Amino acid sequence: MSPRTAQIRLVSSHREVYEPCDDSFALVDALLADQANLLRHQPKLCLELGCGSGYVITSLALILGKEGHYIATDINPHAVRVTQETLEAHGVHAELINTNIASGLETRLAGLVDVIVVNPPYVPTPEDEVGREGIASAWAGGENGRAVIDKILPVADNLLSEKGWLYMVTLSENNPSEICLQMREKGYASRILVQRLTDEESLQIIKFWRDFDSQLEEKEMAENKTVPSRVMESLLSQFPRMPFLRGNNSNSS
Amino acid sequence: MRLLSHNMLSSNIKGVTNGFPLRIEAEKVVVKQVDLNVRFLKNMFPKIEWKALVEASRTMGYAELPEEVEPSKLDSRDFLQKFHHALLELVLEEGALVCPETGRRFPVSKGIPNMLLHEDEV
Ligand SMILES: C[S@@+](CC[C@H](N)C(=O)[O-])C[C@H]1O[C@@H](n2cnc3c(N)ncnc32)[C@H](O)[C@@H]1O
């Protein structure tokens, strides 16, 4: 029987490519936890943005089997090559594109992607460290670690199909509750699949999906310019210690 | 790079309005066998720009795709085989993708296209 996720000893590496780390493992754990749903979902096109070593896209291809078609991008030319090697070592395939987020794919791939996975550069850093050559671009996320995340979200929204799902890694410093709220305004529901506290980081893996109820809310929010209280309640229950939400909630009630 | 990817890529240079399809310059083409998946092909068919696929597969040395198609063709095993071969089995290993409007070349090396833009192109 084939292994369910990529095996570390078969993951290729390069000194300028991000090695699988706690965040990568947490993302794959979330995919495993959601495996039954993913299999029922029968995604045709799956995309990873920022594939690094290829650990995640390889695991996704192993989890889902050969039914679907996989595409992975990275801004780092070494990363797409390393990902190619990792995929080959596991006998699976993904199409690789060396590009900024999904630049070049956005016109034709709009509305076609059923699953997007992203472990973005999320570490808060000075703005000018974002997008530099080499390994620093693997983690440097600018103010609140949001520089690249905030570019990825509208792209993901454009690429996802009607039934599309997005799995994304965030750090508490990224203000994930605010991200969920922004996505809510675009018509997405969200849920934290995995939370992980490491020595240095508090990580969340959040799943987003297009949700009919939240599309109604989107209208409501546009008309009233406030967040419906039931939305606030569901977000609050997931992010109990988020200062952003507390403040906002007391304003709107 | 498979031709499915070629069919999904456009020139991303700022100001370009007619960036699709990218012209292929083929230096090295390989054929990699892939299991035929009828359901996938039927799902993808309506999303494919057919003329671009016909043209691209010709440039890669495969001239078996019909110029025109209707969805009823998908019932023919022979057609599915050809569609499958063009879409998934022809691989551009070395060469370039050329922007139809500006002539800018995006290199393809070891099967991977480089769509990164220079600062003055973003
Ligand atoms: C935290 S690493 C994750 C790597 C891998 N997916 C994993 O989970 O182990 C972030 C990756 O995103 C890539 N990246 C950063 N900015 C990017 C951008 N603008 N477009 C595409 N990829 C980017 C980096 O090169 C790096 O490989």
Side-chain angles (χ1 to χ4, degrees):
Chain A
M1 212 190 111
S2 62
R4 293 199 302 169
T5 65
Q7 291 172 272
I8 288 299
R9 65 182 175 84
L10 295 180
V11 173
S12 192
S13 66
H14 180 279
R15 71 193 142 74
E16 289 193 27
V17 176
Y18 191 82
E19 280 184 22
C21 206
D22 290 326
D23 44 353
S24 328
F25 301 138
L27 177 53
V28 169
D29 286 348
L31 297 173
L32 277 176
D34 215 32
Q35 179 168 22
N37 292 323
L38 275 166
L39 288 172
R40 254 191 318 257
H41 194 56
Q42 298 189 334
K44 288 181 291 295
L45 287 179
C46 303
L47 170 69
E48 179 173 26
L49 302 172
C51 54
S53 68
Y55 176 77
V56 178
I57 190 73
T58 302
S59 297
L60 182 66
L62 290 169
I63 288 170
L64 281 172
K66 296 206 166 159
E67 267 293 302
H69 185 84
Y70 303 88
I71 306 170
T73 73
D74 204 290
I75 199 167
N76 175 349
H78 303 297
V80 280
R81 245 168 266 142
V82 167
T83 294
Q84 180 97 296
E85 293 164 5
T86 299
L87 288 158
E88 275 169 19
H90 290 83
V92 290
H93 180 84
E95 288 286 284
L96 295 161
I97 320 258
N98 185 194
T99 194
N100 185 355
I101 305 183
S103 179
L105 292 167
E106 285 177 65
T107 316
R108 289 278 300 134
L109 213 54
L112 295 187
V113 184
D114 297 319
V115 170
I116 299 182
V117 292
V118 197
N119 178 7
Y122 55 65
V123 179
T125 61
E127 250 355 272
D128 62 0
E129 285 179 21
V130 178
R132 287 228 191 117
E133 301 242 314
I135 186 82
S137 68
W139 65 75
E143 195 183 346
N144 299 325
R146 287 281 292 273
V148 182
I149 291 176
D150 286 346
K151 292 200 176 112
I152 287 174
L153 293 174
V155 174
D157 178 35
N158 170 48
L159 294 180
L160 283 174
S161 68
E162 284 285 293
K163 63 167 200 174
W165 293 349
L166 165 67
Y167 297 84
M168 190 171 75
V169 180
T170 63
L171 186 70
S172 291
E173 286 85 337
N174 301 149
N175 208 342
S177 55
E178 191 199 34
I179 294 174
C180 291
L181 207 50
Q182 282 176 6
M183 289 299 279
R184 184 45 88 156
E185 284 165 14
K186 293 185 185 178
Y188 291 84
S190 58
R191 192 158 72 83
I192 299 178
L193 293 183
V194 170
Q195 298 226 47
R196 195 146 297 173
L197 275 173
T198 69
D199 289 345
E200 291 141 24
E201 300 181 325
S202 158
L203 297 167
Q204 300 81 29
I205 314 301
I206 310 179
K207 176 180 175 179
F208 298 93
W209 64 97
R210 287 184 202 271
D211 178 59
F212 188 63
D213 282 348
S214 72
Q215 279 162 14
L216 288 179
E217 277 156 13
E218 182 188 359
K219 271 180 81 187
E220 215 175 305
M221 283 191 262
E223 280 158 18
N224 306 328
K225 308 257 181 279
T226 59
V227 182
S229 57
R230 65 183 180 284
V231 175
M232 262 312 160
E233 274 155 28
S234 89
L235 279 174
L236 264 176
S237 65
Q238 292 197 61
F239 298 96
R241 289 179 305 276
M242 292 292 163
F244 165 83
L245 274 185
R246 294 246 175 262
N248 203 2
N249 195 35
S250 55
N251 289 344
S252 62
S253 58
Chain B
M1 188 200 69
R2 297 173 173 177
L3 291 187
L4 175 54
S5 298
H6 170 260
N7 213 272
M8 294 299 151
L9 278 172
S10 337
S11 171
N12 47 354
I13 301 167
K14 193 183 175 186
V16 166
T17 50
N18 257 323
F20 183 87
L22 295 160
R23 194 162 50 72
I24 293 178
E25 279 178 17
E27 276 163 35
K28 184 179 171 199
V29 175
V30 295
V31 173
K32 292 194 182 159
Q33 212 230 308
V34 178
D35 293 343
L36 184 97
N37 180 339
V38 173
R39 188 150 48 135
F40 180 77
L41 292 173
K42 288 189 172 173
N43 273 321
M44 281 317 294
F45 179 77
K47 323 281 199 270
I48 296 299
E49 286 281 348
W50 191 255
K51 283 208 157 56
L53 181 65
V54 173
E55 187 63 38
S57 57
R58 284 229 180 100
T59 315
M60 306 261 282
Y62 183 72
E64 300 292 309
L65 287 187
E67 208 73 47
E68 305 285 336
V69 279
E70 323 85 56
S72 63
K73 278 266 190 190
L74 289 168
D75 297 330
S76 146
R77 190 76 188 176
D78 177 59
F79 171 77
L80 283 173
Q81 273 294 351
K82 289 175 176 167
F83 178 35
H84 169 76
H85 183 70
L87 194 68
L88 301 173
E89 294 190 324
L90 294 175
V91 176
L92 182 63
E93 273 290 310
E94 301 292 332
L97 304 174
V98 184
C99 170
E101 201 170 299
T102 64
R104 151 77 140 97
R105 294 172 82 251
F106 296 95
V108 177
S109 151
K110 298 200 170 119
I112 305 176
N114 175 347
M115 300 301 293
L116 293 174
L117 297 175
H118 307 130
E119 248 164 56
D120 57 351
E121 295 172 322
V122 208

